[in-house]
Amino acid sequence: MTPHSLAFYVHTVTTGTLLGLRPADSPDRVSSVLGTDFAENASGRQAMFRDYGLAEFHWHRARAGDPWAGHHFSIEVHRLARRDRSIPGEVLRSRYGRFAPRLRFEKLRRLLDRRGVPLVEIPEHPGNAPHHRTFWQPGSRTAVSYIAVHGEYSTPGTLRVGDVYKIQAPVTGQEVELRRERTRG
């Protein structure tokens, strides 16, 4: 793993931004930074996301004529295990260099700990447990999910136990509390 790509992950988890882009940014703002090389996917007229390879940005709106409101972004780290060097996209590659096919959770956590950026474990969505574990950075409202246990149909065969699956922002305190309530209930 290059120090530059590690810096990308650390910066994203620490700030809750991706190259300065916030989860609430408009589709035009995201394209102005990441470019126009994306796949656009819509779910009806109320939800849309753009897939930039490694990064995805998601938007929603109440009605078809309303402007898009940013919902969240994710870094789909698991895609790097395909060993396709084009997955990060030209903008991220030119800024951060080569991305390794895997990101070890404990390595990322150690780097964050050294910077005083704690990760707190939160309950996993029932459909992902016990195969995934998720940790949350309260200051940036960013979550990091990793493979905890292999499952034949639940985890990618290209990832090992301990590999980061994805990073997502924002994950709000309210969302964390809902997860906790579900596990108590």
Side-chain angles (χ1 to χ4, degrees), residues 20-178:
L21 294 168
R22 300 185 183 290
D25 282 337
S26 71
D28 289 342
R29 167 86 174 105
V30 172
S31 291
S32 75
V33 173
L34 292 179
T36 57
D37 187 14
F38 57 80
E40 187 171 284
N41 300 280
S43 176
R45 295 182 172 165
Q46 284 77 35
M48 171 181 72
F49 76 93
R50 288 184 178 169
D51 181 345
Y52 287 87
L54 183 59
E56 290 183 359
F57 277 79
H58 295 249
W59 297 274
H60 65 272
R61 60 187 178 187
R63 290 179 296 284
D66 292 346
W68 291 108
H71 187 267
H72 72 277
F73 71 78
S74 61
I75 301 170
E76 303 293 330
V77 182
H78 61 95
R79 292 178 180 169
L80 295 169
R82 296 179 195 158
R83 297 184 180 274
D84 177 346
R85 292 185 188 262
S86 69
I87 286 175
E90 183 58 37
V91 173
L92 289 176
R93 275 195 328 274
S94 66
R95 173 92 181 257
Y96 290 101
R98 185 182 62 80
F99 283 74
R102 292 182 180 83
L103 171 61
R104 302 296 291 167
F105 174 75
E106 285 304 322
K107 183 170 194 146
L108 177 62
R109 188 176 195 181
R110 274 193 312 274
L111 289 169
L112 291 165
D113 283 344
R114 286 186 202 147
R115 288 161 178 79
V117 180
L119 292 175
V120 179
E121 187 164 16
I122 60 175
E124 189 56 62
H125 288 293
N128 293 336
H131 302 100
H132 295 255
R133 289 177 67 188
T134 299
F135 284 72
W136 183 53
Q137 205 305 301
S140 67
R141 300 183 325 162
T142 304
V144 179
S145 297
Y146 75 93
I147 305 298
V149 176
H150 255 293
E152 184 177 358
Y153 301 107
S154 303
T155 58
T158 54
L159 295 181
R160 299 179 297 218
V161 169
D163 286 345
V164 171
Y165 184 76
K166 96 172 152 177
I167 298 169
Q168 180 177 320
V171 173
T172 65
Q174 181 181 15
E175 224 176 306
V176 171
E177 284 308 311
L178 284 172

